[in-house]
Amino acid sequence: MIGVRSDVCMDLGNGLSNGQGKHPLFSFGVISDVQYADIPDGHSFLGVPRYYRHSILVLQRAVKNWNDHKNLNFVINFGDIVDGKCPKDQSLNAVKKVVSEFENFHGPVYHMIGNHCLYNLPRDKLLPLLKIPNHGDGCTHAYYDFSPTPGYRFVVLDGYDISAIGWPHDHPNRLEALKILSEKNPNSDKNSPEGLKGVDRRFVMFNGAVGNKQMEWLDNLLKDATNMKQKVIICCHVPLDPGATSKTTLLWNYDQVMDLIHRYDCVKVCLSGHNHQGGYSVDSRGVHHRVLDAALECTPGTNAFGYIDVYDSMLSLVGTDQMKSTDFSFDF
């Protein structure tokens, strides 16, 4: 049904057919968690090395390979393009620098926001730089959809719709997030999961939730996709299945979002970032979840990016180095 493949190589190929014996309907590039900053290398709070200056080199190599492939229709960046440790007087220029690297790709680039993006810039400044289409309320929501071919629709969720970061101090979405954290996390440091058990460890400040308006939008969109007989690929910076990620990197209301998604048969794959080690699972309803490995934690000279070939009943991720290749097979 699935598998993580061992045929991982630096050469991203030339768009020829894979084991299905036919050409893909379309193909697109993927990368996540670049988290560039012009600062010395450091570590995560777990002690994992982070290579802040090297990560933009990973992105540059990714763009070159995507362009050399010549058959990629677009690229999706899964969020966190600049690290939270970036000096705040450099945030704007750092975001612009990384965006300009993405713009060297010879085609459309679709972005989504992550927590590190919001540590650097508020939504009203960030979203225009990322050219994110938005909905309502002063154009500060970052969820949208697009359809590259009649049979498929991509849905980009805003995992920080309800969040303690990125919104104005008195914004209702921020206040709602602070209330959730107050009720669910007893620690004075709301980024700490200390003492929380199992999936409750997700109630930390670096995660967020999908709000009610976005849930209504998603419901209507999935109804529409079902009526149009489209297959749907969900994209969200924050993972949606505990089987694919650590319990501390889950969407706060992943269970509600997945309950909604499971009401429909059109959603086949959920793609995300955020958990830097990556992950993979198939949930109880057969939906595939792939968390993409972070560009930030590539040792110098190594990579974490890839592209996905899309077929009628399968997606095939061709990854490089730390991003392992993965096939996702599903029913029509």
Side-chain angles (χ1 to χ4, degrees), residues 18-290:
N18 77 344
Q20 284 202 336
K22 57 185 177 181
H23 290 275
L25 300 172
F26 61 94
S27 304
F28 62 98
V30 293
I31 194 168
S32 189
D33 297 87
V34 174
Q35 290 182 221
Y36 166 74
D38 187 12
I39 58 175
D41 296 341
H43 296 83
S44 72
F45 67 93
L46 294 175
V48 178
R50 292 184 165 181
Y51 305 96
Y52 299 107
R53 292 183 175 124
H54 175 256
S55 65
I56 202 166
L57 303 180
V58 177
L59 175 58
Q60 289 169 352
R61 292 194 290 266
V63 171
K64 181 181 186 303
N65 275 269
W66 294 330
N67 285 333
D68 288 348
H69 183 285
K70 299 187 188 307
N71 287 293
L72 299 185
N73 300 80
F74 55 91
V75 162
I76 302 181
N77 159 43
F78 283 81
D80 277 2
I81 62 173
V82 172
D83 195 84
K85 291 184 178 180
C86 177
K88 295 303 168 278
D89 61 347
Q90 298 177 25
S91 289
L92 181 59
N93 286 336
V95 170
K96 288 181 177 178
K97 180 173 181 175
V98 180
V99 168
S100 71
E101 294 293 345
F102 275 105
E103 290 177 347
N104 288 326
F105 173 66
H106 301 156
V109 178
Y110 297 96
H111 294 278
M112 65 196 75
I113 57 173
N115 52 309
H116 282 267
C117 305
L118 296 171
Y119 297 150
N120 280 276
L121 293 175
R123 284 171 170 263
D124 59 346
K125 290 185 171 59
L126 181 67
L127 269 57
L129 290 172
L130 299 180
K131 298 181 174 64
I132 291 179
N134 26 66
H135 300 257
D137 287 2
C139 294
T140 50
H141 291 300
Y143 52 90
Y144 61 96
D145 70 295
F146 64 97
S147 184
T149 190
Y152 273 92
R153 188 180 301 201
F154 285 72
V155 177
V156 178
L157 296 180
D158 180 353
Y160 294 91
D161 189 6
I162 305 301
S163 171
I165 52 177
W167 293 107
H169 190 76
D170 59 350
H171 195 283
N173 291 23
R174 179 179 180 273
L175 298 178
E176 182 179 347
L178 292 175
K179 183 173 184 291
I180 291 170
L181 288 170
S182 175
E183 293 172 352
K184 299 291 187 179
N185 188 331
N187 297 307
S188 56
D189 177 6
K190 298 303 181 185
N191 275 318
S192 171
E194 186 177 353
L196 301 178
K197 304 297 183 183
V199 294
D200 283 349
R201 291 174 64 81
R202 72 191 187 274
F203 291 109
V204 286
M205 194 178 289
F206 53 78
N207 298 327
V210 168
N212 290 334
K213 288 183 180 179
Q214 187 177 176
M215 289 285 279
E216 292 172 10
W217 170 84
L218 177 61
D219 190 16
N220 290 329
L221 190 148
L222 296 179
K223 285 177 187 173
D224 188 50
T226 299
N227 292 336
M228 296 177 68
K229 295 182 169 52
Q230 292 177 317
K231 302 178 192 71
V232 173
I233 298 171
I234 301 284
C235 303
C236 183
H237 178 70
V238 191
L240 300 173
D241 184 67
T245 189
S246 76
K247 305 303 184 288
T248 55
T249 52
L250 276 168
L251 193 77
W252 288 345
N253 62 338
Y254 79 90
D255 46 352
Q256 294 174 316
V257 172
M258 289 311 303
D259 282 349
L260 173 57
I261 286 172
H262 287 157
R263 291 179 205 163
Y264 301 90
D265 293 327
C266 57
V267 176
K268 305 302 181 184
V269 176
C270 296
L271 300 172
S272 60
H274 197 41
N275 182 38
H276 290 187
Q277 288 70 47
Y280 175 77
S281 67
V282 182
D283 68 28
S284 61
R285 294 292 297 273
V287 177
H288 299 258
H289 297 259
R290 180 65 163 93

Side-chain angles (χ1 to χ4, degrees), residues 1-5 18 20 28 152 233 268-271 279-282 286-292 307-318 324-331:
M1 185 173 181
I2 48 83
V4 177
R5 305 203 309 269
N18 77 344
Q20 284 202 336
F28 62 98
Y152 273 92
I233 298 171
K268 305 302 181 184
V269 176
C270 296
L271 300 172
Y280 175 77
S281 67
V282 182
V287 177
H288 299 258
H289 297 259
R290 180 65 163 93
V291 181
L292 300 174
Y307 70 90
I308 295 179
D309 288 329
V310 180
Y311 301 86
D312 280 326
S313 59
M314 184 178 110
L315 272 63
S316 180
L317 166 62
V318 180
K324 303 302 182 185
S325 297
T326 315
D327 288 341
F328 320 96
S329 298
F330 43 81
D331 296 330

